[in-house]
Amino acid sequence: MVATRLTRTLLLAALFAATTPAMAQAAPPGSVLTLTLHAKNGTAAPRSVVLNCDPDSGTHPRAKAACESLRSAKGDFAALGQNHASAPCPLVLRPVVASAGGTWQGKPVKFTREFGNECEAAAKLGPVFDF
């Protein structure tokens, strides 16, 4: 009886030890990005949020929509260049710079792009920079 319990305990320990590295390797690489919008002329303070994907969270107010947009673009910020705006943006020149840094599915990300104003940035980059 004691030998049976000992055998079971040893088998369970061996099974746990064998599956732990496999479970660690199966975890998806992280996606953590810091997104910033700042006025090019420095008239307003920069705004930044943190976006975590898988699971979708962070300080971004629309984390789920932003992560879905990035997933559909396969993490390529240049592929976000579709027009998301439902209304035209005003023709007011207040240049802003949108930037992103961090990792997307374990790969380093560095993105910077200038827009005529915040409305144009949100229209071109969708929910990722809509904060």
Side-chain angles (χ1 to χ4, degrees):
M1 183 98 128
V2 173
T4 305
R5 284 187 193 160
L6 181 60
T7 303
R8 280 190 207 152
T9 303
L10 290 174
L11 285 173
L12 286 173
L15 180 63
F16 179 74
T19 59
T20 301
M23 290 183 344
Q25 292 175 354
S31 295
V32 180
L33 300 162
T34 300
L35 308 170
T36 304
L37 280 171
H38 71 272
K40 187 171 179 188
N41 60 9
T43 58
R47 293 191 334 254
S48 292
V49 295
V50 175
L51 178 64
N52 300 309
C53 298
D54 301 319
D56 304 347
S57 61
T59 59
H60 195 294
R62 299 180 58 209
K64 183 176 177 149
C67 288
E68 287 174 0
S69 183
L70 279 167
R71 280 187 205 100
S72 67
K74 295 179 178 45
D76 181 5
F77 281 81
L80 294 174
Q82 51 217 285
N83 193 349
H84 294 274
S86 58
C89 290
L91 296 175
V92 176
L93 186 60
R94 288 192 186 122
V96 296
V97 176
S99 60
T103 58
W104 178 259
Q105 296 180 347
K107 296 178 184 166
V109 170
K110 189 171 183 177
F111 169 82
T112 302
R113 188 164 167 199
E114 185 177 329
F115 295 92
N117 56 44
E118 283 189 33
C119 178
E120 183 183 342
K124 297 291 184 188
L125 299 174
V128 176
F129 281 91
D130 188 13
F131 57 86

